[in-house]
Amino acid sequence: AAFSDMIYAVIGAIGIGLIMPFVEGHMPLLQLIGSILLFAFGFYTYRTKPNTNLPHKKGSKKGTLVQNAITGFFVTVSNPLILLLFLALFARFNFVTPNRIKLGTEFISVAAGALGWWLGLTYLINKIRTRFNEDTIWMLNRTIGIIVMVVSLMSFLFTLTGKTLY
């Protein structure tokens, strides 16, 4: 999953790098649009109901580490909407600057963040998976959605006022 995120991050950075002259002249507008897209993502997450129609297989055979890695990669790479999220984040946080796509710390941060997220998430789910029900997932969706919406609103206001956190 982290490898898939890295592929989309590179595609997003190269895509922004190609349109950098346009980006330079319209950075505040693009930051506002990025904030709006992040808000929409948060709102979508907030409103998403858990899927209760998932098949539950008791005693199903576990895949090997390689099979699980390949499956995780194809599940995440099949979601091209993550590219829009990366484009919004890159525009919002100046990931791509004139004549330079930041390949160092920023891409390492994307990789570390994605890997940390998936490792932490799978570890946590493995520990508490028997306690999850539809209400718990509904509450998690709402909490994450609220957090994303609050951060996007703060970003929107910072852009409008010309202030920044970095």
Side-chain angles (χ1 to χ4, degrees):
F3 184 65
S4 166
D5 286 347
M6 283 302 301
I7 289 172
Y8 279 127
V10 169
I11 291 170
I14 290 171
I16 286 182
L18 293 174
I19 60 168
M20 198 62 214
F22 174 79
V23 171
E24 285 176 343
H26 300 87
M27 187 57 79
L29 176 64
L30 290 175
Q31 288 177 337
L32 290 173
I33 291 170
S35 295
I36 292 167
L37 287 173
L38 287 175
F39 184 87
F41 176 75
F43 185 74
Y44 173 79
T45 302
Y46 180 85
R47 302 263 311 160
T48 300
K49 293 183 179 183
N51 186 354
T52 57
N53 298 323
L54 295 174
H56 300 288
K57 296 181 182 178
K58 298 273 185 196
S60 62
K61 182 183 155 197
K62 294 182 179 180
T64 67
L65 184 60
V66 172
Q67 289 171 330
N68 291 337
I70 291 170
T71 300
F73 172 78
F74 282 112
V75 165
T76 55
V77 84
S78 66
N79 180 12
L81 290 179
I82 194 71
L83 184 59
L84 292 177
L85 178 63
F86 276 123
L87 289 172
L89 287 170
F90 292 171
R92 176 66 214 132
F93 297 108
N94 296 328
F95 190 80
V96 179
T97 57
N99 302 321
R100 184 173 181 282
I101 297 173
K102 299 177 182 178
L103 297 175
T105 308
E106 289 80 358
F107 274 112
I108 291 170
S109 298
V110 168
L115 188 58
W117 170 255
W118 286 108
L119 288 175
L121 188 63
T122 55
Y123 175 79
L124 179 66
I125 289 173
N126 186 46
K127 293 295 181 190
I128 63 172
R129 66 179 166 200
T130 57
R131 298 180 194 151
F132 272 88
N133 58 30
E134 184 177 342
D135 292 334
T136 307
I137 296 171
W138 180 248
M139 183 183 69
L140 285 171
N141 282 355
R142 289 185 160 227
T143 302
I144 291 168
I146 288 170
I147 291 169
V148 171
M149 287 188 291
V150 166
V151 169
S152 68
L153 285 174
M154 288 173 48
S155 295
F156 189 86
L157 292 174
F158 278 126
T159 300
L160 284 179
T161 61
K163 301 198 185 287
T164 183
L165 290 175
Y166 46 90

